[in-house]
Amino acid sequence: MKNPLVSIIIINYNGYYLLKKCLQSILKNKYSNYEIIIVDNGSTDSTLEKIKIDFKKNFSKIKTLALKKNLGPSLARNKAFKISKGDIISFLDNDTQVDPNWIINALKLFQTNPKIGVIQSKLLLLNQKNKIDYVGELLGNLGFLKPIALYGEIDKGQYNQNYNILAAKSAGMFISRKAFVDAGQFDPDYFMEETDLGWRVWLNGYQNIFCPTSIVYHQFSSTKNIVDPNFNNYLVRFHGTKNYIQTLIKNLSSKNLAKILPIHLFLWFSLAIYLLFTGKFNSSKNIFCGIGWNFINLSKILSKRKIVQKNRTISDSELFTHQKLMVKTKLSHYIYRFLNSQKNIVTPENNQL
């Protein structure tokens, strides 16, 4: 399809001051065949009323969906998808602004290969546009994600080529409607999680590609200005732990699961003990709860694993070796990231350990 309809889905929670600028940038983009779907996750800042006033002239392009409470991004995105009509789905965070050619360049890449399921835009920092936020990630051999670029790395064009990635961030990603349906959409048991979806897209026979010419600017750390610090800790530690473990159980082959999961669990347990003895009781508790959630819900996870493995069309060997989606990573790398994250990381999407 030459000029497919693109459905742009944005989840909002008490962030209209960010969302307004995001919408303004979208309306300036150079591709005309699109719709915008705003899902409001139980905000108290009158987001939807303000949209109707501030974007009265462009409201024909905008659909809104009001949820009574914060269901989290994963389930909210699935609900938005149900009212979307596009052949291509674009997910954005409300704290992003887009380059005018962001859609056009992504669509050009989609048209080169019908097996492309997901495209990751180049994410640059909104307030330092010469610095990288995210350009994709791979899976480390210990079961943790390994970003391809360092956060804050100067963008010198060193990642200006198309390459395979394990998954894309919803701050700036495209997915074909067919790939999204075939992969089973977002798992509602995740409050927020893109890695699981991206992995399942690969297992269903598609490819996930980084597109350097599709550029999105992302405002790092905006979440800390919206959510309560204790809830933010819960998002990072509980959901981070829960999601990592569940994703490995669902998507790894039996051989790799037996090899990786015990080490992965041991590292989470060790981290929780370290936090306990250094006085970070809330963080420690949330990690233990994340581990425990997987044991309590193991039967449900194994049922989902059965479906994922049944639909698998590619082996782990093909995925990790031939497609080069796994990278050997020393434990010291994650220890360094964790120690630094204690100073800086405030949102779940930036939490790698």
Side-chain angles (χ1 to χ4, degrees):
M1 190 175 294
K2 189 175 181 181
N3 295 301
L5 175 66
V6 177
S7 295
I8 304 164
I9 294 175
I10 308 170
I11 310 302
N12 179 75
Y13 175 70
N14 284 340
Y16 183 68
Y17 69 101
L18 298 166
L19 178 62
K20 181 177 180 179
K21 293 179 181 179
C22 178
L23 291 174
Q24 288 170 339
S25 72
I26 292 171
L27 293 169
K28 293 177 183 177
N29 100 88
K30 295 181 180 179
Y31 188 77
S32 60
N33 193 22
Y34 67 91
E35 62 177 3
I36 303 171
I37 302 173
I38 307 297
V39 185
D40 191 71
N41 242 337
S43 294
T44 57
D45 66 351
S46 302
T47 287
L48 299 186
E49 290 80 1
K50 291 174 181 176
I51 289 175
K52 291 176 182 177
I53 296 170
D54 293 343
F55 295 93
K56 184 177 180 179
K57 292 182 180 179
N58 305 102
F59 202 69
S60 61
K61 283 277 191 185
I62 302 173
K63 296 179 182 178
T64 60
L65 178 61
L67 303 179
K68 293 182 179 180
K69 62 179 181 179
N70 190 347
L71 300 178
S74 293
L75 184 53
R77 289 184 182 118
N78 286 349
K79 288 183 176 294
F81 177 73
K82 289 181 179 179
I83 65 172
S84 72
K85 297 180 179 178
D87 294 297
I88 302 294
I89 310 299
S90 167
F91 291 110
L92 288 175
D93 284 355
N94 65 352
D95 59 353
T96 59
Q97 295 177 34
V98 299
D99 178 85
N101 292 307
W102 140 81
I103 293 178
I104 289 175
N105 289 334
L107 292 183
K108 287 179 181 177
L109 183 55
F110 269 118
Q111 291 163 4
T112 65
N113 184 353
K115 298 304 291 182
I116 294 177
V118 169
I119 287 176
Q120 169 70 62
S121 299
K122 178 191 278 189
L123 296 183
L124 299 175
L125 296 179
L126 180 61
N127 297 321
Q128 294 177 290
K129 294 183 178 179
N130 66 329
K131 292 186 178 181
I132 292 170
D133 175 18
Y134 182 81
V135 295
E137 62 197 3
L138 303 174
L139 184 68
N141 59 308
L142 299 177
F144 295 99
L145 297 174
K146 175 73 180 298
I148 291 170
L150 294 174
Y151 169 80
E153 186 176 338
I154 300 294
D155 180 20
K156 300 178 180 179
Q158 65 271 44
Y159 302 106
N160 282 0
Q161 60 270 343
N162 304 128
Y163 49 75
N164 290 343
I165 57 172
L166 179 65
K169 269 189 184 180
S170 61
M173 69 174 281
F174 295 86
I175 184 169
S176 74
R177 189 177 200 89
K178 189 174 186 306
F180 192 60
V181 171
D182 288 350
Q185 305 180 39
F186 286 102
D187 184 336
D189 281 335
Y190 292 80
F191 188 82
M192 62 182 299
E193 175 64 21
E194 302 96 342
T195 303
D196 174 65
L197 172 65
W199 199 333
R200 285 184 279 117
V201 168
W202 271 106
L203 293 179
N204 276 269
Y206 297 91
Q207 292 177 270
N208 301 338
I209 306 291
F210 171 67
C211 180
T213 56
S214 174
I215 298 173
V216 174
Y217 300 101
H218 186 212
Q219 183 171 325
F220 176 71
S221 297
S222 61
T223 303
K224 70 179 180 180
N225 299 319
I226 299 173
V227 303
D228 177 82
N230 289 328
F231 183 61
N232 185 65
N233 184 287
Y234 176 76
L235 288 178
V236 173
R237 298 304 179 201
F238 171 73
H239 284 288
T241 307
K242 173 178 74 70
N243 292 354
Y244 259 116
I245 296 168
Q246 183 180 191
T247 299
L248 294 179
I249 294 173
K250 286 172 60 179
N251 297 302
L252 282 172
S253 68
S254 297
K255 179 181 177 180
N256 279 320
L257 184 62
K259 179 181 177 182
I260 294 173
L261 185 61
I263 299 172
H264 189 82
L265 286 171
F266 174 76
L267 292 175
W268 277 121
F269 184 80
S270 299
L271 175 57
I273 293 296
Y274 169 81
L275 290 169
L276 180 64
F277 280 98
T278 54
K280 298 179 175 64
F281 303 116
N282 199 33
S283 291
S284 177
K285 180 195 74 173
N286 285 333
I287 289 176
F288 278 126
C289 287
I291 296 171
W293 185 94
N294 283 275
F295 284 100
I296 294 170
N297 292 277
L298 186 57
S299 178
K300 182 197 290 189
I301 298 171
L302 291 176
S303 294
K304 289 189 284 188
R305 170 181 169 78
K306 186 176 181 180
I307 295 171
V308 171
Q309 298 302 317
K310 180 181 178 181
N311 294 331
R312 172 193 282 268
T313 64
I314 184 173
S315 68
D316 277 7
S317 177
E318 173 67 24
L319 197 64
F320 298 142
T321 304
H322 296 119
Q323 299 295 341
K324 299 180 179 179
L325 294 178
M326 179 176 279
V327 58
K328 287 189 176 182
T329 311
K330 294 180 179 179
L331 178 59
S332 58
H333 165 81
Y334 296 109
I335 293 173
Y336 174 80
R337 284 187 60 82
F338 169 73
L339 292 176
N340 280 275
S341 77
Q342 297 304 290
K343 306 172 186 176
N344 201 23
I345 288 179
V346 294
T347 60
E349 63 185 12
N350 292 297
N351 183 42
Q352 304 299 333
L353 179 57

